[in-house]
């Protein structure tokens, strides 16, 4: 693994002032992206004709840090430092790092103070952001509460890391391939809707877990390469291919968990039996419960007012010796740090006992279900069409 760079005052050397081929996409350039659905041999293929000067691949914008007082940035090779427009300013020697800080609503990088700075490794080097190594390059910008660092990275290279962040790298290749297609679809779905935003996705579970080089493995690269450019579409559009760890036996219709119905996120039987999160239990002292949920006091009863057809808690009435409170299932899940909203609560002898099933929202691909299906000899295509009803496996081509 590449060693973390030494923090030191970098030697910033003069750099050519020409704008690099991969300068940030302008709004007009993004508007040149066209999509058309064609039928080839009975299979739907999604052709994405994307004009990216000097680049043959889709570049994704991933927020690594947002609103940090300062961010450490470095490179494994000599890195070129540029301003927002692409004007070369200097070079950061390989193996060195520098703190980038917010100053008066702008960004301070060494002796420069500006609206934003690019740090771009040369010769295929890696970029260091915060405490991890990543592929691609970084744009640091000021924010309301500090500095934001956005990793601009090739989509397929991004997926090398996401697979290892979302699934054990030792799982069967067909399970990893199903995750690759789902994660690629999810990323492109959000990329198409984030043009006015500073980034497409974040690096946490709020989007997809992305840890840079540390979560890559030979198996994740093999799964991504084997499905290169493949996405899921419905009605000619890339779907929001959400996924979760385990549903506890049955996934959900999306409108029962969220508000907007989608034809491809329907309730189906899950194959997650035997997963370590298929069934779980939590017990906590009453004092711990009172600390986590205010306005109730010592809990007397917890009665669901509304559940999904599969039993997930939508709203829950909590009755205690100090009052009554109605909370959403998600609010209770977050307050009590539960794995899902598929739970029930009972009280015995001053202890709150919680029985639950599954991990996550229960929509779309079940990762443990994919693992079990792959071990049963099912292909990644079969896994995907089971969990995303009516969706078509399509091919994105970038020109």
């Amino acid at each position: 693994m590449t060693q973390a760079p030494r923090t030191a005052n970098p030697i910033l050397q003069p750099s050519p002032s020409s704008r690099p081929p991969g300068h940030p996409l302008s709004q007009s350039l993004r508007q040149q992206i066209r999509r058309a659905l064609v039928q080839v041999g009975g299979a739907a293929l999604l052709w994405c004709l994307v004009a990216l000067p000097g680049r043959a691949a889709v570049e994704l914008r991933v927020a690594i840090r947002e609103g940090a007082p300062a961010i450490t940035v470095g490179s494994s090779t000599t890195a070129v430092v540029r301003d927002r427009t692409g004007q070369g300013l200097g070079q950061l020697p390989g193996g060195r790092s520098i703190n980038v800080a917010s100053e008066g609503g702008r960004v301070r990088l060494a002796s420069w103070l500006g609206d934003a700075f690019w740090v771009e490794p040369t010769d295929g080097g890696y970029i260091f952001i915060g405490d991890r190594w990543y592929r691609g390059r970084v744009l640091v910008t000021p924010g309301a509460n500090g500095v934001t660092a956005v990793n601009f990275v090739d989509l397929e290279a991004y997926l090398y890391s996401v697979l290892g962040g979302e699934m054990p790298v030792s799982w069967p290749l067909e399970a990893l391939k199903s995750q690759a297609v789902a994660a690629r679809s999810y990323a492109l779905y959000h990329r198409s809707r984030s043009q006015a935003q500073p980034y497409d996705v974040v690096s946490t579970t709020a989007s997809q877990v992305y840890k840079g080089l540390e979560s890559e493995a030979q198996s994740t690269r093999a799964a991504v390469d084997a499905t290169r450019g493949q996405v899921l579409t419905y009605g000619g559009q890339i779907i929001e291919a959400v996924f979760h760890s385990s549903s506890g036996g049955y996934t959900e219709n999306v409108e029962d968990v969220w508000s907007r119905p989608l034809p491809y996120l329907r309730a189906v039987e899950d194959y997650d039996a035997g997963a370590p999160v298929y069934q779980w239990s939590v017990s906590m002292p009453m004092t711990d419960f009172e600390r986590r949920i205010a306005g109730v006091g010592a809990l007397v009863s917890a009665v669901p007012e509304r559940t999904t057809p599969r039993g997930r808690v939508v709203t829950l009435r909590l009755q205690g010796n100090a009052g009554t409170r109605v909370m959403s299932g998600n609010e209770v899940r977050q307050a009590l740090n539960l794995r899902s909203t598929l739970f029930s609560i009972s009280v015995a002898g001053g202890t709150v006992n919680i029985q639950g099933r599954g991990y996550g929202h229960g929509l779309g691909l079940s990762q443990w279900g994919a693992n079990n299906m792959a071990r049963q000899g099912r292909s990644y295509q079969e896994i995907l069409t089971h969990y995303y009803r009516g969706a078509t496996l399509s091919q994105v081509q970038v020109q």
Side-chain angles (χ1 to χ4, degrees):
M1 181 61 68
T2 305
Q3 296 296 311
R6 292 185 293 119
T7 301
N9 293 325
I11 304 171
L12 289 164
Q13 303 165 346
S15 174
S17 60
S18 60
R19 179 173 298 187
H23 67 278
L25 289 178
S26 66
Q27 182 66 24
S28 61
L29 184 58
R30 291 193 184 99
Q31 291 173 348
Q32 294 177 28
I33 296 175
R34 298 185 294 111
R35 294 185 177 88
L37 186 67
V38 298
Q39 295 291 329
V40 179
L45 299 181
L46 185 67
W47 293 79
C48 289
L49 307 180
V50 184
L52 295 178
R55 292 185 183 271
V58 173
E59 196 171 42
L60 195 69
R61 304 171 301 164
V62 188
I64 306 300
R65 294 282 192 277
E66 189 171 13
I71 297 172
T72 302
V73 174
S75 176
S76 63
T77 61
T78 299
V80 178
V81 179
R82 305 181 188 274
D83 64 18
R84 183 187 286 277
T85 68
Q87 181 76 23
L89 301 174
Q91 293 181 341
L92 176 66
R96 298 288 186 93
S97 66
I98 186 171
N99 285 331
V100 182
S102 176
E103 184 176 315
R106 306 182 80 189
V107 176
R108 167 70 67 181
L109 191 156
S111 61
W112 287 289
L113 184 65
D115 296 331
F117 295 103
W118 291 97
V119 181
E120 303 177 346
T122 60
D123 301 322
Y126 302 116
I127 192 74
F128 190 78
I129 310 170
D131 58 358
R132 292 192 175 107
W133 288 99
Y134 299 88
R135 297 176 184 267
R137 54 190 181 145
V138 66
L139 177 68
V140 288
T141 60
N145 300 309
V147 181
T148 294
V150 178
N151 181 205
F152 283 62
V153 60
D154 170 71
L155 173 64
E156 301 298 312
Y158 161 79
L159 294 172
Y160 290 160
S161 172
V162 166
L163 261 64
E166 289 288 354
M167 269 188 176
V169 300
S170 60
W171 277 12
L173 183 61
E174 294 302 297
L176 290 168
K177 286 157 72 174
S178 69
Q179 179 69 76
V181 175
R184 185 182 294 109
S185 304
Y186 181 93
L188 287 175
Y189 175 91
H190 284 276
R191 181 179 183 270
S192 69
R193 287 158 173 78
S194 62
Q195 294 179 7
Q197 304 302 317
Y199 48 80
D200 304 313
V201 293
V202 299
S203 60
T204 68
T205 54
S207 294
Q208 303 182 127
V209 177
Y210 173 61
K211 298 180 179 180
L213 295 183
E214 75 175 54
S215 59
E216 289 188 17
Q218 188 280 329
S219 60
T220 68
R221 292 188 287 270
V224 171
D225 291 344
T227 62
R228 180 169 292 271
Q230 294 181 16
V231 295
L232 292 162
T233 61
Y234 190 96
Q237 301 296 318
I238 297 176
I239 71 170
E240 186 177 16
V242 295
F243 48 86
H244 61 284
S245 178
S246 163
S247 74
Y250 225 93
T251 69
E252 297 276 1
N253 292 323
V254 64
E255 65 270 20
D256 294 327
V257 177
W258 297 341
S259 58
R260 182 168 61 99
L262 293 167
Y264 50 84
L265 293 180
R266 315 314 300 160
V268 297
E269 181 182 2
D270 199 357
Y271 292 90
D272 60 337
V277 290
Y278 182 80
Q279 290 183 311
W280 46 267
S281 62
V282 174
S283 294
M284 65 182 66
M286 187 64 71
T287 53
D288 194 9
F289 175 88
E290 293 181 61
R291 178 178 59 82
R292 292 169 181 248
I293 295 182
V296 175
L299 184 66
V300 175
S301 65
V303 179
E305 287 195 334
R306 182 182 164 210
T307 64
T308 69
R310 302 299 167 186
R312 291 176 187 271
V313 175
V314 178
T315 55
L316 184 72
R317 178 175 292 274
L318 300 169
Q319 176 69 53
N321 64 3
T324 300
R325 184 175 175 186
V326 176
M327 300 177 65
S328 72
N330 278 324
E331 289 172 335
V332 175
R333 178 189 177 188
Q334 292 171 6
L336 301 183
N337 194 27
L338 306 179
R339 291 183 173 91
S340 75
T341 58
L342 187 56
F343 64 82
S344 61
I345 299 178
S346 61
V347 180
T351 299
V352 177
N353 300 301
I354 307 168
Q355 302 292 323
R357 298 204 313 274
Y359 196 166
H361 49 53
L363 301 174
L365 176 76
S366 160
Q367 293 167 324
W368 276 98
N371 174 55
N372 288 341
M373 290 181 72
R375 293 185 186 281
Q376 294 166 8
R378 308 289 285 275
S379 69
Y380 78 97
Q381 295 97 329
E382 292 177 290
I383 295 170
L384 291 169
T385 55
H386 174 70
Y387 287 105
Y388 301 105
R389 308 304 283 184
T392 300
L393 189 62
S394 305
Q395 183 74 36
V396 172
Q397 297 213 353
V398 181
Q399 298 179 349

